[in-house]
Amino acid sequence: LETAKPENLIKASTLETAKAQYLQLRNDPGMQRKIRDVYDKAKQTLHPIKPEYAAVGVLMLWCSLLYFIGFTKTLMMTSVLMLLGIIVAPDVMAGANITTILTN
């Protein structure tokens, strides 16, 4: 068995790199704890509805929009809504009222 020398090594492909990063994240206990915390928070927020059902509902809505208004318009609408969400998020997380959110 040869030892790994710089001239014997080849760069991993993009797929191999992504797979290694995925496995590293999947097996990391800190990441598993964080995912569990996010899931529990979503479960608490969507109390009567399971987060899986909410995700499927959002996916079905998005697919319906793709079918009825087309790819480009759906992508543009999704981008605008996400941008608005990102802009408003700090105020919402701080617990600001609606007038403060609209002012900012």
Side-chain angles (χ1 to χ4, degrees), residues 9-24:
L9 300 177
I10 56 172
K11 184 168 174 44
S13 70
T14 305
L15 182 62
E16 290 170 337
T17 303
K19 186 176 178 181
Q21 289 174 346
Y22 168 75
L23 289 174
Q24 185 176 7

Side-chain angles (χ1 to χ4, degrees), residues 4-100:
K5 298 177 186 172
E7 59 269 3
N8 292 344
L9 300 177
I10 56 172
K11 184 168 174 44
S13 70
T14 305
L15 182 62
E16 290 170 337
T17 303
K19 186 176 178 181
Q21 289 174 346
Y22 168 75
L23 289 174
Q24 185 176 7
L25 287 175
R26 182 154 161 62
N27 296 330
D28 182 23
M31 183 58 68
Q32 290 174 350
R33 190 176 331 102
K34 180 70 174 170
I35 290 171
R36 196 174 319 108
D37 291 344
V38 169
Y39 180 82
D40 290 340
K41 186 175 181 180
K43 196 174 184 181
Q44 185 179 28
T45 304
L46 302 168
H47 177 57
I49 303 170
K50 292 176 85 174
E52 294 92 341
Y53 296 159
V56 168
V58 168
L59 184 64
M60 287 176 63
L61 174 67
W62 198 74
C63 288
S64 298
L65 288 172
L66 273 173
Y67 180 76
F68 288 113
I69 67 172
F71 177 75
T72 306
K73 291 177 186 174
T74 301
L75 194 62
M76 184 63 74
M77 189 175 67
T78 303
S79 298
V80 167
L81 290 174
M82 290 178 72
L83 181 64
L84 287 173
I86 290 170
I87 291 170
V88 171
D91 291 334
V92 172
M93 297 296 274
N97 59 13
I98 191 73
T99 56
T100 307

